């Protein structure tokens, strides 16, 4: 049998490697920006077209390359950053694998113009699908200018699986920010489809963070600083009120390299325990500097995983550093040491006998037991209790609803026919500024005012988005909203959807938005808050399709602009809300699938009087 094993041709090998290194346009942006930093640049300009699908350009004023190096840089495992195995343990540059350019050139059309500092002439080289097309002398500027066009032009499947421009651009912004946040001494610019998204001058770290996230963060940053023999931790944590439900504003950098680490995240999160609501994540940007020999950055080609030699020590140091920083700013007491001391005091000396804690267990409890008998008792109890509380004006309505949940009166069905018919001249009363009560053809209907209005608005906004147009009410005095620049950029991508919701927005730049028009049902005082909320929501990358995203936007706005509990409604308002609810496609349920209305059937009422 003849030998059948062959070495893969370079272009094939490169394309395979590219699968790991270049997953999406953002990966190329990251690699090119890191190369610029490694080359000692102090200005880096990133120009993107169509979320990087048609163009990714990175221009730096770094060292530049010679003609031969420019050619060599596209070879696989070609690097100027390490030479021998030992160097792997002392990596101070971002790159070291020598794979990035070879990978990018395998799956795109690349042009590079580069000139060494002080050289009289530079070189221009084009390469496409790993094949060099041309190289000639060029009178370009000092430094390097990479243009990557039509990424994945020769890998249709990859191109097909790229997400929408909005999502791909979000990834680019993420990578851009990570590099920008580690190099405040470097000037960065980001342009997308001709408009400036970031313009970050050289500055201090604190100012850089403020430029990236918006000026409202200026007051909100608490410095963290901890020096130990193992590691130095510096950076900032946000005050508790900057915490958000969504993750994304949490950054760890090790030796200026962005990393993810859930274990260390826990160290920070637990230092915030009790200060932020459950499920909220505090903002933080924490920078570790550590001897490169103490870590291994070599785990993954995209290098966001890093292994520490002594992770537990780093955890403890980090936790203490954050706690201390919060304590120093009077945000949380740092009583850890005192507490330990207190625990050593023997109870005998204090003169009080301390009872050991006890746990009571109901050994007869069986969670699987069904209790139908108790349930009907529940109804009886409810009526008895109602008797007692009627004078208080239905104080226990919460309890009533809970009880009703358990009995068969409610049963909302998701079918249109079963919606109770409300007479034109029906009377309406409002209970506890929370529920609307009205008689129907066969009983009594209780409508949750907030959920009902949410449902009505949601369907209205969704229709507007489907049609691509909505009414907007011009405001007399346009207000400005300041957003984190990344969210601002994403909101700008969704400008037409915002317009369909009724927002007329002017994108000024550097995170600023001017609000010129708002949906008619939104109070002017709420508009800025709602826009901030929508921008924040949009910046979550859930990878959903457009329809789902539109639904989410519509819910978010509906929830934000609906009538709230506690709001007094007039009879005509209640009547109108009930009529609009009846005209909904799915009147029974609110966004969280919770019921909007319940009915007390006449037969049920009669039974109670029997
Ligand atoms: P790595 O960064 O891991 O060394 P790359 O493929 O990213 O590998 O780059 C290969 C080499 O090309 C680098 O080692 C560097 O010498 C050179 N290079 C890449 N980008 C630049 C740049 N912007 N300026 C100067 N030299 C560069
Ligand atoms: Mg590199």
């Amino acid at each position: 049998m003849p030998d059948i094993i062959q070495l893969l041709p370079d272009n094939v090998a490169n394309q395979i490697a590219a699968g790991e290194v270049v997953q999406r346009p953002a990966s190329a942006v990251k690699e090119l920006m890191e190369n610029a930093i490694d080359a000692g640049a102090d200005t880096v300009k990133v120009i993107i077209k169509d979320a990087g699908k048609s163009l990714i350009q990175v221009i730096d004023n770094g060292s530049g390359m010679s003609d031969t190096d420019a050619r060599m840089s596209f070879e696989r495992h070609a690097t100027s950053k390490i030479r021998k195995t030992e160097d792997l343990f002392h990596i101070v540059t971002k790159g070291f694998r020598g794979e990035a350019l070879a990978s990018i050139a395998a799956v795109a059309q690349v042009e590079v113009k580069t000139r060494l500092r002080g050289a009289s002439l530079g070189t221009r080289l084009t390469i496409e699908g790993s094949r060099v097309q041309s190289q000639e002398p060029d009178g370009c500027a000092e430094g390097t200018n990479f243009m990557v066009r039509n990424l994945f032009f020769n890998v249709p499947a990859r191109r097909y699986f790229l997400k929408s421009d909005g999502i791909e651009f979000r990834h680019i912004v993420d990578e851009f920010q990570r590099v920008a946040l580690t190099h405040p001494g470097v000037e960065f610019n980001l342009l997308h489809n001709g408009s400036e998204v970031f313009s970050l001058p050289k500055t201090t770290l604190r100012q850089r963070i403020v430029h990236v996230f918006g000026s409202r963060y200026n007051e909100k940053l608490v410095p963290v600083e901890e020096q130990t023999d193992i590691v130095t931790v510096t950076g900032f944590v946000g005050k508790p009120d900057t915490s958000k439900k969504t993750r994304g504003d949490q950054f760890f950098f090790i030796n200026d390299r962005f990393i993810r680490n859930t274990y260390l995240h826990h160290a920070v999160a637990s230092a915030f325990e009790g200060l932020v609501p459950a499920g909220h994540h505090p903002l933080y940007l924490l920078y570790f500097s550590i001897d490169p020999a103490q870590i291994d950055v070599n785990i993954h080609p995209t290098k966001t995983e890093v292994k520490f030699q002594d992770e537990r020590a780093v955890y403890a140091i980090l936790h203490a550093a954050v706690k201390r920083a919060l304590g120093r700013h009077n945000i949380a007491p740092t009583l850890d040491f005192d507490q330990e001391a207190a625990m050593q005091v023997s109870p005998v000396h204090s003169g009080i006998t301390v009872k050991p804690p006890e746990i009571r267990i109901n050994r007869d409890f069986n969670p699987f037991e069904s209790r139908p008998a108790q349930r009907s008792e529940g109804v009886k109890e409810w009526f008895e209790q109602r008797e007692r509380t009627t004078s208080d004006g239905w104080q226990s309505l919460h309890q009533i609803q809970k009880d009703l949940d358990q009995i068969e009166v409610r049963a909302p069905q998701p079918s249109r026919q079963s919606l109770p018919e409300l007479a034109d001249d029906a009377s309406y009363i409002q209970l506890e500024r929370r529920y609307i009560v009205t008689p129907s053809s066969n009983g009594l209907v209780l409508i949750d005012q907030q959920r009902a209005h949410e449902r009505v608005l949601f369907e209205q906004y969704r229709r507007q988005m489907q049609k691509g147009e909505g009414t907007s009410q011009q405001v007399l005095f346009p207000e400005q909203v300041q957003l984190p620049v990344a969210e601002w950029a994403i909101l700008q991508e969704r400008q037409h959807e915002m317009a369909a919701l009724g927002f007329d927005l002017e994108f000024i730049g550097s995170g600023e938005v001017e609000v010129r028009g708002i949906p008619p049902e939104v109070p002017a005082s709420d508009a800025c808050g709602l826009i901030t909320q929508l921008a924040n929501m949009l910046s979550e990358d859930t990878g959903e399709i457009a329809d789902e995203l539109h639904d989410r936007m519509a819910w978010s706005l509906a929830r934000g602009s609906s009538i709230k509990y506690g709001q007094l409604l007039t009879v005509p308002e209640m009547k109108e809300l009930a009529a609009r609810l009846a005209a909904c496609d799915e009147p029974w349920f609110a966004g969280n699938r919770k019921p909007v209305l319940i009915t007390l059937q006449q037969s049920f009422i009669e039974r109670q009087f029997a």
Side-chain angles (χ1 to χ4, degrees):
M1 198 175 143
D3 299 334
I4 51 172
I5 299 178
Q6 289 185 1
L7 274 178
L8 286 174
D10 272 355
N11 60 334
V12 179
N14 285 340
Q15 226 184 61
I16 294 170
E20 289 241 318
V21 183
V22 192
Q23 283 144 352
R24 52 181 6 136
S27 340
V29 172
K30 167 184 188 274
E31 294 296 341
L32 295 176
M33 287 181 76
E34 291 189 347
N35 280 348
I37 301 290
D38 283 346
D42 69 358
T43 70
V44 178
K45 189 167 182 172
V46 182
I47 300 169
I48 304 292
K49 293 227 167 86
D50 305 319
K53 292 171 188 171
S54 24
L55 175 75
I56 297 164
Q57 182 172 14
V58 177
I59 306 167
D60 71 52
N61 66 347
S63 62
M65 287 181 275
S66 70
D67 300 5
T68 322
D69 279 353
R71 174 68 196 81
M72 269 300 282
S73 68
F74 290 100
E75 293 293 331
R76 203 138 59 97
H77 308 307
T79 179
S80 56
K81 298 168 194 174
I82 56 170
R83 299 202 179 277
K84 46 190 191 303
T85 320
E86 296 85 81
D87 295 346
L88 269 176
F89 303 104
H90 307 285
I91 289 165
V92 288
T93 52
K94 310 227 158 242
F96 60 89
R97 295 164 174 273
E99 279 181 329
L101 290 183
S103 300
I104 294 169
V107 291
Q109 296 155 343
V110 180
E111 174 182 348
V112 56
K113 292 183 192 172
T114 183
R115 173 148 72 101
L116 282 173
R117 269 185 208 148
S120 54
L121 208 59
T123 184
R124 173 178 175 275
L125 182 147
T126 56
I127 177 166
E128 191 175 312
S130 294
R131 292 197 175 84
V132 176
Q133 308 289 307
S134 67
Q135 182 168 17
E136 72 244 13
D138 194 273
C140 56
E142 285 181 1
T144 305
N145 178 349
F146 268 103
M147 282 153 278
V148 176
R149 294 196 175 87
N150 303 320
L151 190 67
F152 302 132
F153 78 103
N154 53 354
V155 203
R158 275 261 158 163
R159 212 175 153 83
Y160 179 78
F161 280 109
L162 287 178
K163 298 270 169 56
S164 70
D165 281 11
I167 291 178
E168 292 301 341
F169 187 63
R170 161 91 251 196
H171 285 286
I172 290 177
V173 169
D174 282 348
E175 296 293 358
F176 178 92
Q177 282 184 348
R178 290 170 191 164
V179 180
L181 287 168
T182 36
H183 299 279
V186 177
E187 180 186 325
F188 290 97
N189 284 282
L190 175 64
L191 274 95
H192 188 210
N193 294 335
S195 60
E196 190 167 75
V197 179
F198 284 99
S199 171
L200 307 172
K202 289 182 203 179
T203 180
T204 59
L205 177 60
R206 190 183 183 113
Q207 280 309 309
R208 173 59 52 90
I209 294 173
V210 169
H211 286 147
V212 170
F213 291 105
S215 52
R216 72 195 153 109
Y217 281 91
N218 204 2
E219 324 264 84
K220 305 274 180 193
L221 299 173
V222 177
V224 175
E225 194 149 4
E226 192 78 37
Q227 269 194 21
T228 68
D229 293 344
I230 307 175
V231 63
T232 299
V233 186
T234 54
F236 299 90
V237 292
K239 293 192 176 159
D241 60 336
T242 59
S243 71
K244 290 186 194 159
K245 257 199 158 130
T246 52
R247 291 197 48 177
D249 291 345
Q250 290 76 35
F251 298 86
F252 286 129
F253 301 97
I254 296 194
N255 297 346
D256 290 344
R257 191 189 293 279
F258 170 79
I259 63 143
R260 290 172 216 280
N261 190 316
T262 43
Y263 181 62
L264 294 184
H265 171 74
H266 186 264
V268 182
S270 65
F272 270 89
E273 215 166 70
L275 297 174
V276 301
H280 280 57
H281 306 282
L283 163 92
Y284 59 78
L285 299 106
L286 295 162
Y287 300 73
F288 300 85
S289 40
I290 192 162
D291 174 3
Q294 295 286 316
I295 51 170
D296 180 8
V297 287
N298 208 2
I299 310 177
H300 195 264
T302 49
K303 296 172 286 196
T304 57
E305 285 164 40
V306 168
K307 227 184 162 60
F308 288 91
Q309 267 186 11
D310 192 352
E311 203 162 43
R312 294 180 66 164
V314 177
Y315 181 101
I317 293 165
L318 177 62
H319 180 85
V322 174
K323 274 216 123 158
R324 193 158 320 160
L326 291 171
R328 215 179 298 130
H329 286 76
N330 295 327
I331 294 165
T334 42
L335 290 177
D336 287 18
F337 300 107
D338 302 349
Q339 265 172 22
E340 270 166 35
M343 274 182 329
Q344 284 158 15
V345 178
S346 147
V348 178
H349 294 297
S350 64
I352 309 163
T353 34
V354 179
K355 235 172 99 191
E358 52 182 297
I359 302 168
R360 294 215 186 95
I361 301 168
N362 173 6
R363 294 185 196 283
D364 300 327
F365 177 70
N366 176 0
F368 301 106
E369 200 175 59
S370 64
R371 283 167 290 176
Q374 280 180 0
R375 219 181 256 182
S376 58
E377 253 172 50
V379 180
K380 234 192 268 160
E381 264 168 36
W382 169 57
F383 274 94
E384 280 165 15
Q385 198 188 344
R386 227 216 70 178
E387 298 273 38
R388 272 181 261 127
T389 53
T390 26
S391 51
D392 301 341
W394 296 66
Q395 281 306 310
S396 55
L397 208 75
H398 280 301
Q399 189 54 39
I400 295 169
Q401 178 150 34
K402 251 199 226 147
D403 289 343
L404 286 176
D405 275 350
Q406 299 190 358
I407 51 183
E408 75 317 358
V409 275
R410 183 174 53 104
Q413 287 141 24
S415 101
R416 293 241 27 210
Q417 286 78 356
S418 55
L419 196 70
E421 257 175 51
L422 305 176
D424 265 354
D425 55 353
S427 48
Y428 290 84
I429 52 167
Q430 195 184 14
L431 277 188
E432 300 219 312
R433 300 193 175 184
R434 198 178 168 95
Y435 305 104
I436 299 169
V437 187
T438 184
S440 73
S441 50
N442 67 342
L444 203 59
V445 183
L446 286 153
I447 301 172
D448 180 308
Q449 66 184 49
Q450 183 170 328
R451 290 184 196 166
H453 198 217
E454 260 175 47
R455 165 53 70 182
V456 166
L457 289 177
F458 164 72
E459 294 201 2
Q460 175 194 325
Y461 292 140
R462 191 175 53 180
R463 265 193 309 278
Q464 287 174 206
M465 290 182 105
Q466 278 160 356
K467 277 200 296 190
E469 57 186 48
T471 40
S472 175
Q473 194 172 352
Q474 294 303 300
V475 290
L476 221 46
F477 305 103
E479 263 191 272
Q480 268 109 34
V481 192
Q482 179 70 42
L483 297 169
V485 183
E487 290 179 11
W488 174 87
I490 284 158
L491 192 68
Q492 193 180 24
E493 291 277 306
R494 299 281 165 199
Q495 205 170 351
H496 52 285
E497 275 113 330
M498 291 298 283
L501 286 174
F503 287 105
D504 178 6
L505 305 177
E506 174 78 17
F507 289 81
I508 299 169
S510 315
E512 228 178 309
V513 181
E514 190 168 272
V515 188
R516 306 218 163 140
I518 57 177
E521 53 286 324
V522 169
S525 55
D526 292 354
C528 293
L530 283 171
I531 290 166
T532 311
Q533 201 177 312
L534 275 162
N536 185 241
M537 185 217 91
L538 284 171
S539 69
E540 283 169 58
D541 174 10
T542 55
E544 65 211 326
I545 54 167
D547 267 0
E548 292 166 350
L549 181 80
H550 291 172
D551 274 12
R552 211 148 56 90
M553 288 176 79
W555 271 124
S556 174
L557 185 60
R559 208 162 285 148
S561 53
S562 65
I563 295 169
K564 300 290 180 297
Y565 298 128
Q567 189 170 330
L568 189 66
L569 298 178
T570 63
V571 172
E573 281 169 345
M574 289 191 271
K575 193 170 172 182
E576 192 200 323
L577 181 55
R580 288 175 74 188
L581 182 67
C584 281
D585 292 336
E586 267 190 276
W588 288 106
F589 295 104
N592 43 16
R593 300 307 289 172
K594 294 231 171 98
V596 170
L597 70 155
I598 61 174
T599 56
L600 297 184
Q601 307 273 340
Q602 197 169 343
S603 53
F604 166 76
I605 298 171
E606 277 165 10
R607 253 185 288 143
Q608 307 310 314
F609 283 108

